[in-house]
Amino acid sequence: MPVLQRHKQGLYCPAADAWIDPSWPVERALITHAHADHARAGSREYWAIGQSAGVLRQRLGQDIKLHSVTYGEEFTLGQATLSFHSAGHVLGSAQIRVEVEGEVWLVTGDYKRCHDPSCEPFESVKCDVMITESTFGLPIYRWESGQDVAKNIHAWWTAANERPSLLFCYAFGKAQRVLAELKAIGVEDEVLLHGAVQTITKHYQEAGVDMVQTRPVSELDRKDPLKGRLIIAPPSAYRSAWMRRFKEPQTAFASGWMTVRGARRRKGYERGFVLSDHADWNGLLKTIKESEAKQVYVTHGQDDVVAKYLREIEGIKADPLKSLS
């Protein structure tokens, strides 16, 4: 029997009687991070990194039964020994290591290898079997450093003295990384936030993440033209009624998908900044090789492409996760 099994609800570990990032409510859920496609409401109990507790409770309910663990802390559930290791993706994100009778499996969740001042750095973990994401599993995806991207964002924003600058990005993780990267390059200006970004940012501030000073844009007079100000908002706010208060704003979107110029044109943003919280092509290959896994299962995004490349070019036994039963 494999250490982990794939079911409609997600990955199940019989030895621990636990599910990893289940898509349906279960008795015991092990959560890699608090993004909505990994952490879902309704389970009886949750296990996750303590730093993610604030966002998890905000999204799943304040009264959830949550067991908080620290990075590298080993604990036992049933016949399995488990530990969570930093994934470098967002605050409190983790890879989950599962050991049963000496065999080690690793579920990466979402991860990235480049430096991010808003969360713990990625930890390389060796294993026998690895289940890796491949959201950006094509050679065209290669990231610049976050600081270089922050410099470009700052130059774009400060060049528009007569217009407000609206930067759209994911409210959990990406927005706080932009705020931390701006701080890291020496920016002292205050940045204004959409309400959805503000509610997540407070958890980063409580965790002690060093970011530029922020304020909810709702606290400013609606007649303020906000010329020369940077406002960060989630993609859902683009072209919404919320945008009507800004006169002639310049707009941009920060995402790894901005690598493909057509993606920006389809969305209608004036500018795209390539900034991702997932591993790029080189990061994926580096991580897989460092794991020394004898078998790799690939999920999300370009699973078939990455698995075929690993088999035919790198000589690593690899298959899409959908082949695991």
Side-chain angles (χ1 to χ4, degrees), residues 149-150 152-161 163-169 175 178-180 182-183 185 187 189-194 212-217 220 225-233 242 246 249-254 273:
V149 177
N152 291 334
I153 291 173
H154 186 251
W156 165 78
W157 155 30
T158 54
N161 292 328
R163 304 170 69 186
S165 297
L166 297 183
L167 177 64
F168 295 89
C169 58
V178 170
L179 296 170
L182 289 172
K183 179 69 173 183
I185 63 171
V187 173
D189 306 80
E190 179 185 70
V191 174
L192 304 176
L193 304 181
H194 181 281
V212 294
Q213 185 178 351
T214 63
R215 184 158 41 141
V217 69
L220 278 75
L226 301 176
K227 293 181 179 178
R229 304 299 300 271
L230 176 66
I231 303 99
I232 297 181
W242 176 84
F246 306 102
Q250 63 170 355
T251 62
F253 187 44
F273 296 103

Side-chain angles (χ1 to χ4, degrees), residues 197-266:
V197 177
Q198 175 66 26
T199 58
I200 299 296
T201 300
K202 70 179 183 183
H203 297 297
Y204 278 72
Q205 293 166 334
E206 290 170 0
V209 176
D210 193 18
M211 300 182 287
V212 294
Q213 185 178 351
T214 63
R215 184 158 41 141
V217 69
S218 57
E219 290 185 0
L220 278 75
D221 191 316
R222 291 187 65 83
K223 294 181 180 178
D224 187 334
L226 301 176
K227 293 181 179 178
R229 304 299 300 271
L230 176 66
I231 303 99
I232 297 181
S236 59
Y238 185 56
R239 292 177 173 168
S240 70
W242 176 84
M243 272 188 66
R244 292 175 190 160
R245 70 171 292 181
F246 306 102
K247 303 300 181 186
E248 299 181 349
Q250 63 170 355
T251 62
F253 187 44
S255 168
W257 300 114
M258 292 297 98
T259 301
V260 181
R261 200 169 289 177
R264 185 177 77 239
R265 286 200 298 267
R266 286 194 296 275

Side-chain angles (χ1 to χ4, degrees), residues 90-308:
V90 295
L91 184 70
S93 62
Q95 308 166 81
I96 299 179
R97 180 185 185 276
V98 184
E99 181 173 355
V100 178
E101 297 180 348
E103 183 171 324
V104 177
W105 286 48
L106 179 73
V107 179
T108 67
D110 295 336
Y111 67 94
K112 69 173 178 292
R113 299 302 303 261
C114 50
H115 175 69
D116 177 350
S118 69
C119 65
E120 295 290 323
F122 178 89
E123 178 186 354
S124 184
V125 180
K126 297 191 186 311
C127 59
D128 298 304
V129 180
M130 180 187 205
I131 298 175
T132 179
E133 64 131 327
S134 62
T135 303
F136 291 101
L138 289 174
I140 62 169
Y141 295 111
R142 299 173 192 266
W143 310 143
E144 296 178 56
S145 75
Q147 288 203 2
D148 286 343
V149 177
K151 290 174 184 174
N152 291 334
I153 291 173
H154 186 251
W156 165 78
W157 155 30
T158 54
N161 292 328
E162 297 301 316
R163 304 170 69 186
S165 297
L166 297 183
L167 177 64
F168 295 89
C169 58
Y170 298 124
F172 173 28
K174 188 67 59 59
Q176 294 75 32
R177 183 181 178 194
V178 170
L179 296 170
E181 298 281 12
L182 289 172
K183 179 69 173 183
I185 63 171
V187 173
E188 298 294 339
D189 306 80
E190 179 185 70
V191 174
L192 304 176
L193 304 181
H194 181 281
V197 177
Q198 175 66 26
T199 58
I200 299 296
T201 300
K202 70 179 183 183
H203 297 297
Y204 278 72
Q205 293 166 334
E206 290 170 0
V209 176
D210 193 18
M211 300 182 287
V212 294
Q213 185 178 351
T214 63
R215 184 158 41 141
V217 69
S218 57
E219 290 185 0
L220 278 75
D221 191 316
R222 291 187 65 83
K223 294 181 180 178
D224 187 334
L226 301 176
K227 293 181 179 178
R229 304 299 300 271
L230 176 66
I231 303 99
I232 297 181
S236 59
Y238 185 56
R239 292 177 173 168
S240 70
W242 176 84
M243 272 188 66
R244 292 175 190 160
R245 70 171 292 181
F246 306 102
K247 303 300 181 186
E248 299 181 349
Q250 63 170 355
T251 62
F253 187 44
S255 168
W257 300 114
M258 292 297 98
T259 301
V260 181
R261 200 169 289 177
R264 185 177 77 239
R265 286 200 298 267
R266 286 194 296 275
K267 296 289 185 180
Y269 298 105
E270 295 174 49
R271 181 75 182 266
F273 296 103
V274 179
L275 187 70
S276 177
D277 289 329
H278 294 263
D280 65 1
W281 176 252
N282 289 334
L284 288 170
L285 297 184
K286 179 180 180 180
T287 303
I288 291 165
K289 291 176 183 177
E290 287 182 353
S291 77
E292 300 180 2
K294 302 178 185 71
Q295 167 75 58
V296 176
Y297 290 106
V298 187
T299 185
H300 300 311
Q302 309 296 330
D303 55 348
D304 291 298
V305 174
V306 174
K308 183 177 181 181

Side-chain angles (χ1 to χ4, degrees), residues 1-3 12-18 28 77-81 98-100:
M1 179 184 295
V3 171
Y12 177 63
C13 177
D17 191 18
R28 178 182 289 160
L77 293 176
Q79 302 303 310
T81 301
V98 184
E99 181 173 355
V100 178

Side-chain angles (χ1 to χ4, degrees), residues 10-25:
L11 291 168
Y12 177 63
C13 177
D17 191 18
W19 297 80
I20 298 177
D21 292 349
S23 55
W24 298 352

